Amino acid sequence: MKNISDWLALIEEVETSLSPKMRLFLRLRREAVYTKTHLRGRPGWVAYVQEHYAREMAKLNKKRPSDYWVEDRTLFAWWDRIVTFTAIKASKRGLLG
């Protein structure tokens, strides 16, 4: 790793450039790391994020949580999009390898 402060600045920049929906997803994804789940067959963060995302979006929009249920593959696609975007920006700044 080059410079930790460069990485932190990049992460902050990426996070602030995300839509509110994606920032909520990222916050819940981080929270899920600290919850202890013993689910089999998929990463434990998926169920946590699905449930909490649906609840929070429903509360914000005064609708039912079922209106905001997100499939596993969508969550993985969102995560991949964030990671890819971050890697591209890091590469352009010379932070990789």
Side-chain angles (χ1 to χ4, degrees):
M1 226 184 270
K2 261 194 170 185
N3 186 340
I4 292 175
S5 62
D6 291 339
W7 273 101
L8 291 174
L10 173 67
I11 298 304
E12 282 182 24
E13 181 183 320
V14 167
E15 188 167 350
T16 57
S17 72
L18 297 174
S19 68
K21 173 177 89 169
M22 295 299 279
R23 280 196 299 271
L24 173 60
F25 163 73
L26 188 58
R27 179 176 60 80
L28 294 171
R29 174 75 167 81
R30 287 177 177 152
E31 285 176 13
V33 170
Y34 299 105
T35 62
K36 302 297 181 209
T37 58
H38 302 287
L39 302 173
R40 294 175 182 237
R42 65 180 178 178
W45 64 268
V46 172
Y48 180 91
V49 172
Q50 282 174 319
E51 179 183 342
H52 289 82
Y53 181 84
R55 256 198 260 149
E56 289 197 32
M57 288 297 288
K59 188 175 178 181
L60 285 171
N61 296 294
K62 295 179 172 66
K63 293 189 176 184
R64 298 179 318 235
S66 60
D67 293 334
Y68 294 97
W69 187 258
V70 180
E71 294 293 324
D72 296 24
R73 65 180 171 270
T74 302
L75 295 178
F76 289 121
W78 288 355
W79 181 244
D80 187 55
R81 189 179 314 154
I82 292 169
V83 170
T84 300
F85 181 66
T86 304
I88 290 168
K89 287 186 128 337
S91 179
K92 288 180 179 178
R93 294 182 187 186
L95 296 175
L96 301 176

